[in-house]
Amino acid sequence: MKPSFYDLNYSDLEMLLKQNNLNSSAAAVLFNWHYKKKQSTQCYENIAKDSLIFFQDNFDFSLPEVDTVHESKDRTVKFLFKLKDGHKIETVLIPFHNKYSICLSSQVGCAMNCSFCFTGTQGLKRNLTASEMVGQFLQAWRWLAKNRSGEERVLNIVFMGQGEPLHNFDAVKKACEIFLAQHGTSIGVQKITISTAGYIPGLKRWSLEIPGVNLALSLHSPFTEKRNELIPINKKYPLDKVLSYIDKIPLNKKQFITYEYILIKDFNDSPEDARELGAILVGKSAYINLIPFNSFPGSYYKRPDLDKVEKFKEVLDTFKIPTLIRSAKGDDVLAACGQLNSKN
Ligand code: SF4
């Protein structure tokens, strides 16, 4: 089987051209064609014939196949993609003012087994390759160009779909490098966010290798017992260690860490939970996203009433930490946070 073209970052491509005595300027041409113009055909403009033949003969240009598309009444779009080995993954386009954020999956299933998450019930099947992550982006963009012409503006990329991105660091890093390359999609580094359940080995690599990319930590409870239930890797990498590791990472001026907090009825939604959460985050470059729980088939947690959510936020406001209550976009098609699964 030929390797995928979409697994090559810009420097891989330049090196490959040099090693094969081809003109290295083709790297910019190819990135421009496939990532900026997002063409689905072979590149034929401004490229020497020998370079074109080399790539046609040696690389695979296919992308994950669109299996099913669900459109939510709030215009969220959920894709089920079929991969070459038959595995399936989900990707979500989240609209805001005719622009979109895309939520990418990084693994088939997930090893973290979080109790509030549909993906966690699947177990880990395998890591995705960079090309399978870049492919989700390109296919979603093309769907927009075809079905919502003029709206094909995907301005933010969040690795918050299926999988723990820092558990598949090499491929996620390569996908980020491809998105960031100036001749390609040239998405700004501050427009990419990686979410983690607190996997410290991956956090270390993120802080050293792609530090400008934003980080979102799934926090969900400041209390050990509750967090152990929600995020079992808390037993191996406890929250205090994760937070103290994050605290030591130098952030650039405009950078902050997002702390995600899923609010579950009568479990972690009391004023006491809010006060403890505020106490551990006060003084940090923090931003809190409150996410009322989204149910999925077989889930036993419940979503709290809106007034309880608002009271939780009021407590956090007293700590002067910027806090946003996230609306559940796409929950009618199981596209909201924690609802992704490969069997839909
Ligand atoms: S919340 Fe994230 S890390 Fe936890 S099981 Fe779901 S996909 Fe994995």
Side-chain angles (χ1 to χ4, degrees):
M1 206 163 56
K2 292 179 192 175
S4 173
F5 171 82
Y6 302 102
D7 275 319
L8 301 169
N9 65 19
Y10 194 77
S11 50
D12 292 337
L13 194 50
E14 275 189 320
M15 199 189 303
L16 194 69
L17 287 159
K18 273 186 205 141
Q19 282 166 351
N20 289 280
N21 298 319
L22 298 165
N23 189 336
S24 60
S25 68
V29 175
L30 286 165
F31 256 58
N32 190 282
W33 183 264
H34 290 287
Y35 295 118
K36 191 163 258 148
K37 295 184 175 162
K38 301 178 187 67
Q39 297 284 353
S40 52
T41 59
Q42 287 291 327
C43 176
Y44 56 82
E45 281 173 5
N46 305 320
I47 188 161
K49 207 167 177 193
D50 53 354
S51 297
L52 183 58
I53 290 169
F54 173 80
F55 284 101
Q56 278 174 348
D57 288 351
N58 294 293
F59 284 87
D60 174 21
F61 286 83
S62 65
L63 292 173
E65 217 178 280
V66 179
D67 185 284
T68 327
V69 180
H70 292 284
E71 292 182 72
S72 154
K73 54 184 186 301
D74 64 21
R75 305 188 87 243
T76 298
V77 190
K78 182 172 80 165
F79 298 89
L80 182 67
F81 286 115
K82 192 169 171 193
L83 307 174
K84 279 207 193 89
D85 61 3
H87 278 123
K88 291 181 180 172
I89 48 159
E90 292 191 318
T91 306
V92 182
L93 279 171
I94 306 148
F96 59 101
H97 310 301
N98 294 342
K99 298 176 206 136
Y100 292 85
S101 289
I102 189 165
C103 180
L104 299 179
S105 289
S106 56
Q107 296 179 311
V108 181
C110 183
M112 301 298 146
N113 200 21
C114 300
S115 60
F116 58 88
C117 169
F118 202 10
T119 305
T121 63
Q122 276 185 260
L124 176 66
K125 303 288 188 299
R126 71 166 172 85
N127 282 331
L128 294 187
T129 60
S131 57
E132 288 167 333
M133 291 179 249
V134 170
Q136 293 170 60
F137 175 93
L138 291 174
Q139 290 289 60
W141 188 96
R142 285 177 196 164
W143 184 91
L144 281 176
K146 191 169 166 212
N147 296 282
R148 296 185 186 174
S149 178
E151 288 186 29
E152 55 273 36
R153 285 178 296 165
V154 184
L155 301 186
N156 291 290
I157 296 176
V158 294
F159 287 89
M160 292 186 187
Q162 289 164 284
E164 159 60 56
L166 295 184
H167 196 217
N168 180 19
F169 188 82
D170 286 325
V172 168
K173 178 184 169 190
K174 187 158 269 192
C176 288
E177 288 166 348
I178 293 169
F179 290 131
L180 293 168
Q182 61 157 326
H183 297 289
T185 55
S186 60
I187 285 174
V189 71
Q190 72 284 0
K191 301 284 185 193
I192 304 179
T193 302
I194 290 178
S195 167
T196 180
Y199 181 65
I200 290 183
L203 268 176
K204 290 184 177 165
R205 292 198 60 193
W206 162 75
S207 65
L208 296 170
E209 298 178 43
I210 41 173
V213 168
N214 289 314
L215 187 81
L217 176 71
S218 296
L219 201 153
H220 309 325
S221 176
F223 296 113
T224 304
E225 258 183 46
K226 288 185 195 179
R227 195 164 191 269
N228 284 349
E229 175 179 325
L230 295 171
I231 306 176
I233 65 151
N234 192 57
K235 293 175 203 150
K236 189 161 185 193
Y237 304 113
L239 182 62
D240 55 344
K241 291 223 165 57
V242 173
L243 291 178
S244 71
Y245 186 78
I246 291 175
D247 284 347
K248 289 189 206 108
I249 297 166
L251 299 177
N252 62 40
K253 262 193 210 148
K254 286 189 188 159
Q255 208 176 4
F256 51 82
I257 306 288
T258 303
Y259 295 91
E260 309 277 351
Y261 194 97
I262 295 219
L263 278 162
I264 299 169
K265 185 174 182 170
D266 300 331
F267 181 78
N268 65 352
D269 61 346
S270 70
E272 191 200 350
D273 289 292
R275 273 193 294 277
E276 187 60 21
L277 179 64
I280 62 169
L281 296 182
V282 72
K284 300 185 195 300
S285 285
Y287 191 102
I288 300 175
N289 269 340
L290 295 178
I291 308 158
F293 175 69
N294 296 303
S295 62
F296 54 84
S299 63
Y300 50 90
Y301 297 126
K302 300 259 177 308
R303 180 184 294 194
D305 298 332
L306 187 61
D307 66 322
K308 197 100 190 255
V309 175
E310 279 165 356
K311 283 199 179 106
F312 196 94
K313 181 179 180 300
E314 279 167 23
V315 175
L316 291 172
D317 289 343
T318 65
F319 289 87
K320 305 210 175 342
I321 304 170
T323 302
L324 186 81
I325 299 171
R326 280 239 308 258
S327 58
K329 286 202 169 166
D331 58 341
D332 56 326
V333 293
L334 289 182
C337 216
Q339 292 184 312
L340 301 188
N341 192 280
S342 302
K343 295 171 200 145
N344 297 304

